[in-house]
Amino acid sequence: MKNYQYLTDGLLESYMLGVLSDDDRKEAEHLLTTDPDLALQLEELEVGMEQYFLQNAVPPPPSIKTALQHRLVGAEIQKWEEQSMPEPPRPEPARSNEFVDVEVGDPSHIRVHKYWRAAFIAVFVLSKIFLAFGLYQYFKSNSLEQEIERLKATQQVTSPLPQGR
């Protein structure tokens, strides 16, 4: 009965793909060694999946094959040269860092390259300066609008409307 559960629940497929937990994997291995029917089912699954993958395989572009062959030929020539004449080890040239060096020591802090630290500080300070400038401009325009409204109101009070004839 338990073997039927393995077949219907997909546990054999999970075992074959390697996605079972350690306990389930150990149990499946034990059952496969003791029960030949399950081992036969697993073998049939493997053959079926292999046939499916071979039928639905997409061939790589021909340029990849030639590139791999050139790389292999170059590697074989280099291996042969290394075997025939050993050279003294050369110091490796300094590589340019393509990525930001991130060092993680304490889980609550991330350390970055010292030049990036200055850039982050500069961006932070500039953002505060622009924020202050923006607030200044906002309040100045708001006060000018209020002044315009006040001047319009005083102009209407001082100049009465012309009388119609």
Side-chain angles (χ1 to χ4, degrees):
M1 184 66 179
K2 190 162 188 152
N3 296 348
Y4 180 73
Q5 179 186 1
Y6 269 91
L7 294 174
T8 57
D9 289 347
L11 294 174
L12 280 179
E13 290 87 352
S14 299
Y15 172 76
M16 185 176 65
L17 295 173
V19 294
L20 285 178
S21 65
D22 288 337
D23 296 335
D24 291 338
R25 183 183 49 80
K26 288 177 184 176
E27 183 181 348
E29 287 173 354
H30 174 70
L31 283 174
L32 286 171
T33 56
T34 58
D35 190 1
D37 290 336
L38 275 179
L40 183 64
Q41 286 292 329
L42 180 66
E43 186 177 325
E44 288 176 7
L45 270 173
E46 288 175 348
V47 169
M49 288 188 85
E50 183 177 357
Q51 289 175 354
Y52 175 78
F53 290 144
L54 288 175
Q55 289 173 354
N56 296 314
V58 177
S63 60
I64 291 180
K65 183 177 181 179
T66 57
L68 285 174
Q69 286 176 344
H70 287 298
R71 187 180 296 172
L72 288 175
V73 169
E76 289 174 1
I77 290 172
Q78 187 178 14
K79 184 189 282 186
W80 181 77
E81 288 175 353
E82 288 174 1
Q83 288 176 356
S84 62
M85 292 190 298
E87 294 181 14
R90 298 181 192 169
E92 289 190 27
R95 297 184 302 176
S96 63
N97 291 338
E98 297 176 16
F99 302 102
V100 176
D101 294 331
V102 176
E103 299 174 8
V104 180
D106 184 19
S108 63
H109 293 83
I110 296 178
R111 294 178 38 182
V112 295
H113 200 270
K114 62 183 175 182
Y115 298 121
W116 283 101
R117 187 176 301 157
F120 290 142
I121 291 171
V123 167
F124 180 77
V125 169
L126 283 174
S127 68
K128 297 306 172 191
I129 290 171
F130 287 134
L131 175 67
F133 182 71
L135 288 173
Y136 171 76
Q137 290 296 324
Y138 170 75
F139 288 123
K140 182 149 182 124
S141 68
N142 195 13
S143 68
L144 287 176
E145 285 177 4
Q146 290 175 356
E147 182 72 18
I148 289 172
E149 291 296 323
R150 188 185 60 80
L151 288 174
K152 283 182 182 178
T154 58
Q155 185 181 12
Q156 286 179 356
V157 169
T158 57
S159 66
L161 292 174
Q163 304 248 339
R165 290 187 192 194

